[in-house]
Amino acid sequence: MFALEGSIIYLSAAVLAFAANPLQLQDGLLELSSPYELSASEARLLSSLNSSHNSSVNSPPLNVTVGSLPTAPSDARVRCGYSSELRFDDCMDALNTFVYPPRRNLSIGNRIASGQSYWDLDLPVRWVSGNGLCSFEVFKHGRQTRSLATGNDLVSAGQALIAQCVQARNGQGGTATMIGVNGQISLVMGRTTPRNVECLDDVHPYYDHCNELIASIPASVTPVHVFGPLSRAGVDQLLPKAWASRPPNVCLLVLAASSGQADVTDSSTFFAIWEAFVLLKAMCVRFEKTGRVSGLGGRGQMSLLVLPYLHS
């Protein structure tokens, strides 16, 4: 048996074996050259876009031209300079995964401590292309608990970043600020170097269920947790550990020892696990495949597996 947020499910030996087979994780890179002063949270989260991993999944072809993109969203400020070698198709692919009502104000706020989805957008929120090479991340500024922005506000900001930075400045990343009702939202576009993502078996569609799960799992930057057998000194999180969306059709996320051994301990923040899940959803789940990220943890001893699970 393993720890599951919300309920208990028995994990088969086949699933545990599926989560094993270790690979060496190497941190990805996001180059930063500040065109404006980053907030502490932006700087921390931008520098942590190094979370993952490698895949052969390619972005689907797009029929969008730069001429169809706005040069700037209403009231937003666009500055280029983050990252390099971004591709138009990759960034359009990442932006196209954002699907929300275009005109309704969306509530945007930090996810609550219990890990349950509360806002329309529970921060952190990141959209990633199918090949993992371009990403957008939403940030909230100010002291208010929530901020408001429409889907059109965010998409227009993303389109402007692509037009002004990727197309007009040879693949640069950038930041759009002053987005939303009170100008408290910013959108950052950057490049990641994903490694150690494996997309595995073909399965039935479960993307929507994983969207539900990714908004509700914990994603805190601190503290660093120690995963392993609870009988071991210093361990505060049972390994294997899992999270699942609401039954009966479940998106199941399993964190396990890469070796499959029961006595492994390793450390990680929940944010690093969330980052790995973001890549699995973008690169594998979206294409109706199961997937695995290996080499997680301070010693690279853990793997994260995503798969559909029929809860009976």
Side-chain angles (χ1 to χ4, degrees), residues 53-70:
H53 324 289
N54 216 7
S55 175
S56 59
V57 174
N58 294 315
S59 302
L62 297 164
N63 296 314
V64 182
T65 63
V66 70
S68 66
L69 299 180

Side-chain angles (χ1 to χ4, degrees), residues 7-309:
S7 61
I8 298 295
I9 293 177
Y10 287 90
L11 189 64
S12 70
V15 170
L16 280 175
F18 191 44
N21 186 18
L23 292 174
Q24 179 65 37
L25 173 68
Q26 300 177 22
D27 287 342
L29 301 174
L30 179 65
E31 299 172 8
L32 301 177
S33 55
S34 299
Y36 87 112
E37 186 175 356
L38 288 172
S39 69
S41 60
E42 282 178 321
R44 180 176 64 250
L45 295 182
L46 276 170
S47 65
S48 72
L49 282 174
N50 62 358
S51 57
S52 296
H53 324 289
N54 216 7
S55 175
S56 59
V57 174
N58 294 315
S59 302
L62 297 164
N63 296 314
V64 182
T65 63
V66 70
S68 66
L69 299 180
T71 57
S74 175
D75 298 325
R77 301 173 184 174
V78 173
R79 299 192 180 188
C80 304
Y82 297 108
S83 190
S84 61
E85 299 181 357
L86 293 175
R87 295 179 63 250
F88 174 82
D89 285 1
D90 295 341
C91 293
M92 281 300 303
D93 182 42
L95 190 61
N96 285 341
T97 64
F98 176 69
V99 181
Y100 276 87
R103 294 179 177 83
R104 179 172 66 84
N105 276 327
L106 305 173
S107 60
I108 302 172
N110 294 325
R111 63 187 65 198
I112 60 178
S114 66
Q116 297 176 353
S117 180
Y118 188 79
W119 312 107
D120 293 319
L121 292 180
D122 297 275
L123 301 180
V125 168
R126 186 181 297 170
W127 316 310
V128 181
S129 61
N131 59 11
L133 297 179
C134 183
S135 65
F136 290 87
E137 184 148 355
V138 179
F139 295 89
K140 183 182 75 67
H141 307 277
R143 296 182 178 180
Q144 293 182 344
T145 304
R146 68 163 189 171
S147 297
L148 298 174
T150 67
N152 277 344
D153 290 337
L154 293 166
V155 170
S156 295
Q159 289 174 334
L161 285 168
I162 294 170
Q164 294 186 41
C165 303
V166 177
Q167 286 293 110
R169 299 200 180 184
N170 298 319
Q172 288 187 6
T175 301
T177 59
M178 302 298 294
I179 301 168
V181 173
N182 296 315
Q184 295 179 333
I185 300 299
S186 62
L187 185 66
V188 176
M189 177 182 66
R191 177 181 172 87
T192 54
T193 304
R195 298 187 178 96
N196 288 2
V197 169
E198 294 180 278
C199 296
L200 302 164
D201 295 339
D202 294 325
V203 291
H204 62 78
Y206 66 121
Y207 185 80
D208 289 345
H209 306 297
C210 290
N211 266 341
E212 172 193 329
L213 182 59
I214 207 166
S216 62
I217 67 170
S220 53
V221 178
T222 57
V224 175
H225 295 282
V226 179
F227 295 82
L230 293 179
S231 58
R232 297 281 291 273
V235 170
D236 64 333
Q237 296 290 329
L238 181 63
L239 190 71
K241 186 179 182 69
W243 299 264
S245 61
R246 290 174 295 182
N249 296 312
V250 170
C251 173
L252 180 62
L253 189 68
V254 181
L255 182 70
S258 297
S259 64
Q261 297 176 356
D263 60 346
V264 171
T265 62
D266 208 340
S267 60
S268 176
T269 64
F270 282 127
F271 182 76
I273 295 166
W274 173 85
E275 284 189 302
F277 186 20
V278 169
L279 284 164
L280 284 171
K281 184 173 75 75
M283 301 170 72
C284 303
V285 176
R286 180 182 168 197
F287 300 96
E288 300 178 8
K289 290 180 177 293
T290 60
R292 177 178 59 220
V293 174
S294 302
L296 293 176
R299 297 187 296 117
Q301 298 296 305
M302 297 186 294
S303 294
L304 189 69
L305 169 73
V306 65
L307 71 161
Y309 186 94

